Each structure stands twice: as C-alpha cells, then as structure tokens.
Amino acid sequence: MTTTLEAQREKLEQEIQEAYEQLEMLRQQPCPNFKILNYYTDVVARNTQLVEMIDCHIFDRTQSVQ
C-alpha cells in the first residue's frame, strides 16, 4: 500500500529525472537559454529538498511505529 507521501515522493523523483534530462539536452545546445537552465536547476534543487523532507518524515514515522 502506497501512502500519499510515498506517492508524492515518487512523483518528485520522476520530475527530478525529467529535469535532469532537459538540462542535458539544453547543455548540448550551442547557445542554451540560461533562464530555462536556471528553471530546471531550481526544479532539481527544490524537489530534492522536498524528497529529503519526506524521507525524514517517513523515517521518523517508521521509527515511532517500531
């Protein structure tokens, strides 16, 4: 059974992967758009931070159950 937090974590991880793919494509362009590069870099940073927060919450919850 997947909890809401676990589902959100999976969605965030998928968005991170997609952002990395977009960043790679942008970096291969001769003149990448820096606003778009910054956008995807921010997506990775923000989503990574959210995943870490979810992990802490899930870990704390599983610790208290045991």
Side-chain angles (χ1 to χ4, degrees), residues 1-60:
M1 181 173 155
T2 302
T3 66
T4 302
L5 279 178
E6 290 167 339
Q8 183 63 34
R9 186 185 189 287
E10 289 175 15
K11 182 176 184 245
L12 290 166
E13 286 182 335
Q14 181 180 1
E15 290 176 6
I16 290 169
Q17 183 60 37
E18 291 170 1
Y20 275 129
E21 291 169 5
Q22 291 295 323
L23 282 168
E24 185 60 34
M25 286 192 297
L26 286 165
R27 289 182 179 131
Q28 292 176 6
Q29 294 179 359
C31 297
N33 183 325
F34 288 106
K35 287 183 181 182
I36 297 174
L37 278 172
N38 287 339
Y39 169 78
Y40 284 114
T41 302
D42 289 345
V43 166
V44 169
R46 180 182 64 247
N47 287 1
T48 300
Q49 189 173 34
L50 289 170
V51 166
E52 290 171 358
M53 291 169 61
I54 290 171
D55 285 348
C56 285
H57 182 75
I58 291 173
F59 181 71
D60 286 345

